[in-house]
Amino acid sequence: MAGELPFEMPLVEMRKKIAELKQFGEEKGIDFSDEIARLEERYRVLEEEIYTDISASQKMHLARHHGRPTSLDLIGLIFTDFIELHGDRLYGDDLAVVGGIGKLNGVPVTVIGQQRGKDTKENILRFFGSAHPEGFRKAIRLMKQAEKFGRPIVTFVDTKGAYPGNTAEERGQSEAIASSLYEMSQLGVPVICIIIGEGGSGGALAMAVGNRVLMLEHAIYSAISPNGAASILWKDASKAEQAAEAMKITAADLLEMEVIEEIVPEPRGGAHRDYESTAAALKDVIWRHLQELSSLDFAELKEDRYRKFRKIGEFSEAQQEAVNPEEEVQNVE
């Protein structure tokens, strides 16, 4: 299977041995069924060991896998009658952000996603999924349109961060991100955000202010990419794996800290192994959360979103024992 990651190589080698033994048996007319059955059992055990306890750095590689389903892949599998809408009505159309109107089980919804490419040419066209200001402003336009017509909003987050170049800064990148954060916080319709790959920095945060924030099992989500963190901490971006282990970026970490509400399981080996089952799992979860939120009115949805983010970062201070001032003076002397 193409696109195996380094930690999956033992499985690749074992699959190769099984295939070679089957081929040799067919060519020589020898029955190796018992040996093949033993190898296949060992393969299943090894597969269970590898995929049961995937580290944060390994999840980072899975989240960035070139074959992982993109926003448009999932939109096509989850929603029907999707019509893509273009442009921010201020500057242009940023292809790093896609959005439009579709139906989920017959209910009209607005869908917005960050879109990376499938190959080098498309990645260049879509800026590797890193939006310019016009991308965030297109998203804001579609969200305000959804609110006007009472449509729920679903966003797919998949970016290493907002575009860092001069062109983006010249057109007001920080203002566009801040406006997206503010506008999403004020929406009076249900908003569900799903981290489907890598959710990095302000580019991800700007599309993830929802009543519910969900993550695919092997997605990652952080205020800065592991590469960026490594560049700052150790002046060496190659230490991204070390940074990933320390940053608490996995879905399990973020669920424990109540940054997200739910983890959506992926097929064994990652979402790139089976687009259809990944999309089916996402569809069920999105529909369930939309039904839960549908009973809330305009003000209740805003309050629900406020409470969701207000509780993030709670901590308790350790109680310090009282110190006698006279004893403190004596200790100093």
Side-chain angles (χ1 to χ4, degrees), residues 83-137:
I83 301 173
E84 186 175 352
L85 303 176
H86 299 271
D88 67 343
R89 304 298 187 266
L90 293 170
Y91 180 84
D93 187 31
D94 186 351
L95 298 183
V97 175
V98 296
I101 304 168
K103 290 182 179 179
L104 180 64
N105 293 334
V107 177
V109 296
T110 289
V111 191
I112 302 167
Q114 291 161 326
Q115 179 69 21
R116 54 184 173 79
K118 290 285 192 179
D119 52 35
T120 302
K121 182 178 180 180
E122 189 182 3
N123 267 318
I124 292 171
L125 187 68
R126 297 189 182 276
F127 304 103
F128 292 84
S130 296
H132 281 70
E134 52 269 26
F136 297 112
R137 290 171 182 145

Short mmCIF file of all heavy atoms in Angstrom, two decimals, residues 83-137:
data_model
loop_
_atom_site.label_atom_id
_atom_site.label_comp_id
_atom_site.label_asym_id
_atom_site.label_seq_id
_atom_site.Cartn_x
_atom_site.Cartn_y
_atom_site.Cartn_z
N ILE A 83 -23.24 23.24 -3.67
CA ILE A 83 -22.94 24.30 -4.63
C ILE A 83 -21.84 25.17 -4.04
O ILE A 83 -22.03 25.79 -2.99
CB ILE A 83 -24.18 25.17 -4.93
CG1 ILE A 83 -25.32 24.32 -5.48
CG2 ILE A 83 -23.82 26.30 -5.90
CD1 ILE A 83 -26.62 25.08 -5.64
N GLU A 84 -20.67 25.21 -4.69
CA GLU A 84 -19.57 26.02 -4.17
C GLU A 84 -19.77 27.49 -4.55
O GLU A 84 -20.15 27.81 -5.68
CB GLU A 84 -18.23 25.52 -4.71
CG GLU A 84 -17.05 26.25 -4.07
CD GLU A 84 -15.69 25.70 -4.50
OE1 GLU A 84 -15.66 24.65 -5.19
OE2 GLU A 84 -14.67 26.32 -4.14
N LEU A 85 -19.53 28.36 -3.58
CA LEU A 85 -19.63 29.80 -3.78
C LEU A 85 -18.23 30.40 -3.67
O LEU A 85 -17.41 29.95 -2.88
CB LEU A 85 -20.56 30.42 -2.73
CG LEU A 85 -21.98 29.83 -2.71
CD1 LEU A 85 -22.79 30.44 -1.57
CD2 LEU A 85 -22.69 30.05 -4.03
N HIS A 86 -17.97 31.45 -4.44
CA HIS A 86 -16.61 31.97 -4.56
C HIS A 86 -16.52 33.45 -4.18
O HIS A 86 -17.50 34.19 -4.28
CB HIS A 86 -16.10 31.79 -5.99
CG HIS A 86 -16.03 30.36 -6.44
ND1 HIS A 86 -14.91 29.57 -6.25
CD2 HIS A 86 -16.94 29.57 -7.06
CE1 HIS A 86 -15.14 28.36 -6.74
NE2 HIS A 86 -16.37 28.34 -7.25
N GLY A 87 -15.33 33.84 -3.77
CA GLY A 87 -15.02 35.26 -3.60
C GLY A 87 -15.44 35.87 -2.28
O GLY A 87 -16.37 35.41 -1.62
N ASP A 88 -14.71 36.93 -1.89
CA ASP A 88 -15.02 37.63 -0.64
C ASP A 88 -15.74 38.95 -0.88
O ASP A 88 -16.09 39.65 0.06
CB ASP A 88 -13.74 37.87 0.16
CG ASP A 88 -12.79 38.85 -0.51
OD1 ASP A 88 -12.95 39.11 -1.73
OD2 ASP A 88 -11.88 39.36 0.18
N ARG A 89 -15.96 39.33 -2.15
CA ARG A 89 -16.61 40.59 -2.55
C ARG A 89 -15.79 41.82 -2.13
O ARG A 89 -16.31 42.93 -2.08
CB ARG A 89 -18.04 40.70 -1.97
CG ARG A 89 -18.96 39.54 -2.32
CD ARG A 89 -19.19 39.41 -3.81
NE ARG A 89 -20.19 38.40 -4.11
CZ ARG A 89 -19.91 37.14 -4.39
NH1 ARG A 89 -18.64 36.72 -4.35
NH2 ARG A 89 -20.85 36.27 -4.70
N LEU A 90 -14.50 41.59 -1.82
CA LEU A 90 -13.63 42.69 -1.43
C LEU A 90 -12.33 42.69 -2.24
O LEU A 90 -11.85 43.74 -2.64
CB LEU A 90 -13.28 42.59 0.06
CG LEU A 90 -14.42 42.80 1.04
CD1 LEU A 90 -13.99 42.43 2.46
CD2 LEU A 90 -14.90 44.25 1.01
N TYR A 91 -11.79 41.50 -2.48
CA TYR A 91 -10.52 41.43 -3.21
C TYR A 91 -10.53 40.33 -4.26
O TYR A 91 -10.32 40.59 -5.44
CB TYR A 91 -9.37 41.21 -2.23
CG TYR A 91 -8.03 41.11 -2.92
CD1 TYR A 91 -7.32 42.26 -3.26
CD2 TYR A 91 -7.48 39.87 -3.26
CE1 TYR A 91 -6.10 42.18 -3.91
CE2 TYR A 91 -6.26 39.78 -3.91
CZ TYR A 91 -5.57 40.93 -4.23
OH TYR A 91 -4.37 40.85 -4.89
N GLY A 92 -10.76 39.08 -3.84
CA GLY A 92 -10.69 38.00 -4.81
C GLY A 92 -11.14 36.68 -4.21
O GLY A 92 -11.75 36.64 -3.13
N ASP A 93 -10.82 35.59 -4.90
CA ASP A 93 -11.23 34.26 -4.45
C ASP A 93 -9.99 33.48 -4.04
O ASP A 93 -9.13 33.18 -4.86
CB ASP A 93 -11.97 33.53 -5.57
CG ASP A 93 -12.56 32.19 -5.12
OD1 ASP A 93 -12.92 32.10 -3.93
OD2 ASP A 93 -12.65 31.27 -5.94
N ASP A 94 -9.89 33.16 -2.76
CA ASP A 94 -8.78 32.40 -2.23
C ASP A 94 -9.13 30.91 -2.29
O ASP A 94 -10.05 30.45 -1.62
CB ASP A 94 -8.52 32.83 -0.78
CG ASP A 94 -7.27 32.18 -0.20
OD1 ASP A 94 -6.70 31.28 -0.84
OD2 ASP A 94 -6.85 32.59 0.91
N LEU A 95 -8.36 30.16 -3.08
CA LEU A 95 -8.66 28.73 -3.27
C LEU A 95 -8.22 27.87 -2.09
O LEU A 95 -8.49 26.67 -2.08
CB LEU A 95 -8.00 28.23 -4.56
CG LEU A 95 -8.48 28.90 -5.85
CD1 LEU A 95 -7.81 28.27 -7.06
CD2 LEU A 95 -10.00 28.82 -5.99
N ALA A 96 -7.55 28.47 -1.09
CA ALA A 96 -7.21 27.73 0.12
C ALA A 96 -8.43 27.54 1.02
O ALA A 96 -8.40 26.74 1.95
CB ALA A 96 -6.11 28.45 0.90
N VAL A 97 -9.50 28.27 0.74
CA VAL A 97 -10.75 28.13 1.48
C VAL A 97 -11.87 27.84 0.49
O VAL A 97 -12.02 28.57 -0.50
CB VAL A 97 -11.08 29.41 2.29
CG1 VAL A 97 -12.45 29.28 2.96
CG2 VAL A 97 -10.01 29.67 3.33
N VAL A 98 -12.62 26.78 0.74
CA VAL A 98 -13.76 26.45 -0.11
C VAL A 98 -15.02 26.54 0.75
O VAL A 98 -14.98 26.33 1.96
CB VAL A 98 -13.63 25.04 -0.72
CG1 VAL A 98 -12.43 24.97 -1.64
CG2 VAL A 98 -13.53 23.98 0.37
N GLY A 99 -16.13 26.86 0.12
CA GLY A 99 -17.37 26.95 0.88
C GLY A 99 -18.57 27.03 -0.03
O GLY A 99 -18.46 27.35 -1.22
N GLY A 100 -19.71 26.72 0.54
CA GLY A 100 -20.93 26.79 -0.24
C GLY A 100 -22.10 26.23 0.55
O GLY A 100 -22.06 26.13 1.77
N ILE A 101 -23.15 25.87 -0.20
CA ILE A 101 -24.38 25.38 0.41
C ILE A 101 -24.62 23.93 -0.02
O ILE A 101 -24.45 23.58 -1.19
CB ILE A 101 -25.58 26.25 -0.04
CG1 ILE A 101 -25.33 27.72 0.29
CG2 ILE A 101 -26.87 25.78 0.63
CD1 ILE A 101 -26.30 28.67 -0.38
N GLY A 102 -24.98 23.11 0.93
CA GLY A 102 -25.31 21.72 0.64
C GLY A 102 -26.44 21.25 1.54
O GLY A 102 -27.00 22.04 2.30
N LYS A 103 -26.75 19.97 1.44
CA LYS A 103 -27.81 19.41 2.29
C LYS A 103 -27.27 18.23 3.08
O LYS A 103 -26.54 17.39 2.54
CB LYS A 103 -28.99 18.97 1.43
CG LYS A 103 -29.78 20.12 0.83
CD LYS A 103 -30.98 19.62 0.03
CE LYS A 103 -31.78 20.78 -0.55
NZ LYS A 103 -32.95 20.31 -1.36
N LEU A 104 -27.63 18.19 4.35
CA LEU A 104 -27.30 17.08 5.22
C LEU A 104 -28.60 16.41 5.63
O LEU A 104 -29.40 16.99 6.36
CB LEU A 104 -26.53 17.57 6.45
CG LEU A 104 -26.12 16.50 7.46
CD1 LEU A 104 -25.12 15.52 6.83
CD2 LEU A 104 -25.52 17.12 8.71
N ASN A 105 -28.82 15.20 5.13
CA ASN A 105 -30.09 14.51 5.36
C ASN A 105 -31.28 15.39 4.99
O ASN A 105 -32.30 15.42 5.68
CB ASN A 105 -30.20 14.06 6.82
CG ASN A 105 -29.18 12.99 7.17
OD1 ASN A 105 -28.73 12.23 6.31
ND2 ASN A 105 -28.81 12.91 8.44
N GLY A 106 -31.13 16.13 3.90
CA GLY A 106 -32.20 16.98 3.39
C GLY A 106 -32.27 18.37 4.01
O GLY A 106 -33.07 19.19 3.56
N VAL A 107 -31.45 18.65 5.01
CA VAL A 107 -31.47 19.96 5.69
C VAL A 107 -30.38 20.85 5.09
O VAL A 107 -29.21 20.47 5.07
CB VAL A 107 -31.23 19.80 7.20
CG1 VAL A 107 -31.16 21.15 7.88
CG2 VAL A 107 -32.32 18.94 7.82
N PRO A 108 -30.74 22.05 4.60
CA PRO A 108 -29.73 22.96 4.03
C PRO A 108 -28.73 23.42 5.09
O PRO A 108 -29.11 23.80 6.20
CB PRO A 108 -30.57 24.14 3.51
CG PRO A 108 -31.95 23.61 3.39
CD PRO A 108 -32.10 22.60 4.48
N VAL A 109 -27.44 23.36 4.76
CA VAL A 109 -26.39 23.82 5.65
C VAL A 109 -25.34 24.57 4.83
O VAL A 109 -25.22 24.35 3.62
CB VAL A 109 -25.70 22.65 6.40
CG1 VAL A 109 -26.68 21.94 7.32
CG2 VAL A 109 -25.08 21.67 5.42
N THR A 110 -24.62 25.46 5.51
CA THR A 110 -23.47 26.11 4.89
C THR A 110 -22.23 25.36 5.33
O THR A 110 -22.03 25.11 6.51
CB THR A 110 -23.38 27.59 5.29
OG1 THR A 110 -24.45 28.31 4.65
CG2 THR A 110 -22.05 28.19 4.88
N VAL A 111 -21.40 24.99 4.36
CA VAL A 111 -20.19 24.21 4.62
C VAL A 111 -18.98 25.01 4.18
O VAL A 111 -18.95 25.54 3.06
CB VAL A 111 -20.21 22.86 3.88
CG1 VAL A 111 -19.08 21.98 4.38
CG2 VAL A 111 -21.54 22.16 4.04
N ILE A 112 -17.98 25.11 5.04
CA ILE A 112 -16.75 25.84 4.73
C ILE A 112 -15.57 24.97 5.14
O ILE A 112 -15.59 24.33 6.20
CB ILE A 112 -16.70 27.17 5.50
CG1 ILE A 112 -17.92 28.04 5.15
CG2 ILE A 112 -15.41 27.94 5.19
CD1 ILE A 112 -18.13 29.22 6.08
N GLY A 113 -14.54 24.93 4.31
CA GLY A 113 -13.38 24.11 4.64
C GLY A 113 -12.09 24.70 4.13
O GLY A 113 -12.07 25.44 3.14
N GLN A 114 -11.01 24.39 4.81
CA GLN A 114 -9.68 24.75 4.33
C GLN A 114 -9.19 23.63 3.44
O GLN A 114 -9.24 22.46 3.81
CB GLN A 114 -8.75 24.98 5.53
CG GLN A 114 -9.14 26.24 6.29
CD GLN A 114 -8.58 26.28 7.70
OE1 GLN A 114 -8.44 25.25 8.35
NE2 GLN A 114 -8.29 27.47 8.19
N GLN A 115 -8.72 23.99 2.25
CA GLN A 115 -8.45 23.00 1.22
C GLN A 115 -6.99 23.01 0.80
O GLN A 115 -6.49 23.99 0.27
CB GLN A 115 -9.35 23.27 0.00
CG GLN A 115 -9.14 22.31 -1.15
CD GLN A 115 -9.62 20.89 -0.85
OE1 GLN A 115 -10.43 20.69 0.04
NE2 GLN A 115 -9.11 19.93 -1.59
N ARG A 116 -6.31 21.91 1.05
CA ARG A 116 -4.95 21.75 0.53
C ARG A 116 -5.01 20.94 -0.76
O ARG A 116 -6.06 20.39 -1.12
CB ARG A 116 -4.07 21.05 1.57
CG ARG A 116 -4.63 19.74 2.05
CD ARG A 116 -3.80 19.12 3.15
NE ARG A 116 -4.45 17.95 3.71
CZ ARG A 116 -4.47 16.75 3.15
NH1 ARG A 116 -3.87 16.57 1.98
NH2 ARG A 116 -5.09 15.74 3.72
N GLY A 117 -3.90 20.86 -1.45
CA GLY A 117 -3.88 20.17 -2.73
C GLY A 117 -3.53 18.70 -2.61
O GLY A 117 -3.05 18.23 -1.57
N LYS A 118 -3.74 17.99 -3.70
CA LYS A 118 -3.42 16.56 -3.76
C LYS A 118 -2.02 16.33 -4.34
O LYS A 118 -1.44 15.28 -4.17
CB LYS A 118 -4.45 15.83 -4.61
CG LYS A 118 -5.83 15.72 -3.97
CD LYS A 118 -5.84 14.68 -2.87
CE LYS A 118 -7.24 14.36 -2.41
NZ LYS A 118 -7.27 13.33 -1.34
N ASP A 119 -1.51 17.31 -5.07
CA ASP A 119 -0.17 17.20 -5.65
C ASP A 119 0.49 18.57 -5.59
O ASP A 119 -0.10 19.55 -5.12
CB ASP A 119 -0.24 16.68 -7.10
CG ASP A 119 -1.21 17.49 -7.96
OD1 ASP A 119 -1.32 18.73 -7.76
OD2 ASP A 119 -1.86 16.90 -8.84
N THR A 120 1.71 18.66 -6.07
CA THR A 120 2.47 19.91 -5.97
C THR A 120 1.78 21.06 -6.69
O THR A 120 1.67 22.18 -6.16
CB THR A 120 3.88 19.72 -6.53
OG1 THR A 120 4.55 18.67 -5.81
CG2 THR A 120 4.69 21.00 -6.40
N LYS A 121 1.29 20.79 -7.90
CA LYS A 121 0.64 21.84 -8.68
C LYS A 121 -0.58 22.39 -7.96
O LYS A 121 -0.78 23.62 -7.88
CB LYS A 121 0.24 21.29 -10.06
CG LYS A 121 -0.40 22.33 -10.97
CD LYS A 121 -0.73 21.72 -12.33
CE LYS A 121 -1.38 22.76 -13.24
NZ LYS A 121 -1.71 22.17 -14.58
N GLU A 122 -1.42 21.50 -7.44
CA GLU A 122 -2.63 21.96 -6.75
C GLU A 122 -2.29 22.61 -5.42
O GLU A 122 -2.94 23.58 -5.01
CB GLU A 122 -3.59 20.79 -6.52
CG GLU A 122 -4.96 21.24 -6.00
CD GLU A 122 -5.91 20.09 -5.73
OE1 GLU A 122 -5.51 18.92 -5.88
OE2 GLU A 122 -7.05 20.37 -5.33
N ASN A 123 -1.26 22.13 -4.74
CA ASN A 123 -0.85 22.75 -3.48
C ASN A 123 -0.40 24.18 -3.70
O ASN A 123 -0.70 25.07 -2.89
CB ASN A 123 0.27 21.93 -2.83
CG ASN A 123 -0.26 20.91 -1.84
OD1 ASN A 123 -1.17 21.20 -1.07
ND2 ASN A 123 0.31 19.72 -1.85
N ILE A 124 0.33 24.42 -4.78
CA ILE A 124 0.75 25.79 -5.09
C ILE A 124 -0.46 26.66 -5.37
O ILE A 124 -0.55 27.81 -4.92
CB ILE A 124 1.73 25.79 -6.29
CG1 ILE A 124 3.05 25.11 -5.88
CG2 ILE A 124 1.98 27.21 -6.79
CD1 ILE A 124 3.99 24.86 -7.03
N LEU A 125 -1.43 26.11 -6.11
CA LEU A 125 -2.64 26.85 -6.44
C LEU A 125 -3.44 27.20 -5.19
O LEU A 125 -4.01 28.29 -5.08
CB LEU A 125 -3.51 26.01 -7.39
CG LEU A 125 -4.75 26.67 -8.00
CD1 LEU A 125 -4.35 27.78 -8.96
CD2 LEU A 125 -5.61 25.64 -8.71
N ARG A 126 -3.43 26.30 -4.21
CA ARG A 126 -4.22 26.49 -2.99
C ARG A 126 -3.36 26.92 -1.80
O ARG A 126 -3.80 26.88 -0.66
CB ARG A 126 -4.98 25.20 -2.65
CG ARG A 126 -6.00 24.79 -3.71
CD ARG A 126 -6.87 23.64 -3.26
NE ARG A 126 -7.81 23.22 -4.28
CZ ARG A 126 -9.00 23.77 -4.51
NH1 ARG A 126 -9.39 24.81 -3.78
NH2 ARG A 126 -9.81 23.31 -5.45
N PHE A 127 -2.13 27.33 -2.08
CA PHE A 127 -1.23 27.82 -1.04
C PHE A 127 -1.07 26.81 0.10
O PHE A 127 -0.98 27.19 1.27
CB PHE A 127 -1.71 29.17 -0.49
CG PHE A 127 -1.88 30.23 -1.54
CD1 PHE A 127 -3.15 30.57 -2.01
CD2 PHE A 127 -0.79 30.86 -2.09
CE1 PHE A 127 -3.32 31.54 -2.99
CE2 PHE A 127 -0.94 31.83 -3.08
CZ PHE A 127 -2.21 32.17 -3.53
N PHE A 128 -1.07 25.52 -0.26
CA PHE A 128 -0.91 24.44 0.71
C PHE A 128 -1.95 24.51 1.84
O PHE A 128 -1.69 24.09 2.97
CB PHE A 128 0.51 24.45 1.30
CG PHE A 128 1.58 24.10 0.30
CD1 PHE A 128 2.10 25.05 -0.55
CD2 PHE A 128 2.04 22.79 0.21
CE1 PHE A 128 3.08 24.72 -1.49
CE2 PHE A 128 3.03 22.45 -0.72
CZ PHE A 128 3.54 23.42 -1.57
N GLY A 129 -3.11 25.05 1.54
CA GLY A 129 -4.19 25.14 2.53
C GLY A 129 -4.04 26.30 3.49
O GLY A 129 -4.78 26.38 4.47
N SER A 130 -3.10 27.21 3.22
CA SER A 130 -2.87 28.37 4.10
C SER A 130 -3.53 29.60 3.49
O SER A 130 -3.10 30.10 2.45
CB SER A 130 -1.37 28.61 4.29
OG SER A 130 -0.77 27.52 4.96
N ALA A 131 -4.56 30.09 4.15
CA ALA A 131 -5.41 31.14 3.57
C ALA A 131 -4.78 32.53 3.65
O ALA A 131 -4.08 32.87 4.60
CB ALA A 131 -6.76 31.16 4.29
N HIS A 132 -5.07 33.34 2.64
CA HIS A 132 -4.82 34.78 2.65
C HIS A 132 -6.02 35.46 3.34
O HIS A 132 -7.03 34.81 3.62
CB HIS A 132 -4.68 35.30 1.22
CG HIS A 132 -3.33 35.05 0.61
ND1 HIS A 132 -2.90 33.79 0.25
CD2 HIS A 132 -2.31 35.91 0.30
CE1 HIS A 132 -1.68 33.88 -0.26
NE2 HIS A 132 -1.29 35.15 -0.24
N PRO A 133 -5.96 36.76 3.58
CA PRO A 133 -7.10 37.45 4.19
C PRO A 133 -8.42 37.26 3.44
O PRO A 133 -9.48 37.11 4.05
CB PRO A 133 -6.66 38.92 4.18
CG PRO A 133 -5.19 38.86 4.24
CD PRO A 133 -4.79 37.66 3.44
N GLU A 134 -8.34 37.21 2.10
CA GLU A 134 -9.58 37.05 1.34
C GLU A 134 -10.22 35.68 1.57
O GLU A 134 -11.43 35.52 1.39
CB GLU A 134 -9.33 37.27 -0.16
CG GLU A 134 -8.21 36.47 -0.76
CD GLU A 134 -6.87 37.19 -0.71
OE1 GLU A 134 -6.68 38.04 0.17
OE2 GLU A 134 -6.02 36.87 -1.57
N GLY A 135 -9.43 34.70 1.99
CA GLY A 135 -10.00 33.40 2.33
C GLY A 135 -10.84 33.48 3.59
O GLY A 135 -11.96 32.95 3.65
N PHE A 136 -10.32 34.14 4.61
CA PHE A 136 -11.07 34.30 5.85
C PHE A 136 -12.29 35.20 5.63
O PHE A 136 -13.36 34.97 6.20
CB PHE A 136 -10.18 34.88 6.94
CG PHE A 136 -9.03 33.98 7.31
CD1 PHE A 136 -7.73 34.33 7.02
CD2 PHE A 136 -9.27 32.77 7.94
CE1 PHE A 136 -6.67 33.50 7.34
CE2 PHE A 136 -8.22 31.92 8.26
CZ PHE A 136 -6.91 32.28 7.97
N ARG A 137 -12.14 36.22 4.77
CA ARG A 137 -13.27 37.12 4.51
C ARG A 137 -14.34 36.43 3.68
O ARG A 137 -15.53 36.71 3.83
CB ARG A 137 -12.76 38.40 3.82
CG ARG A 137 -11.94 39.26 4.77
CD ARG A 137 -11.24 40.40 4.09
NE ARG A 137 -10.44 41.14 5.08
CZ ARG A 137 -9.27 41.73 4.84
NH1 ARG A 137 -8.75 41.67 3.62
NH2 ARG A 137 -8.63 42.37 5.79
#
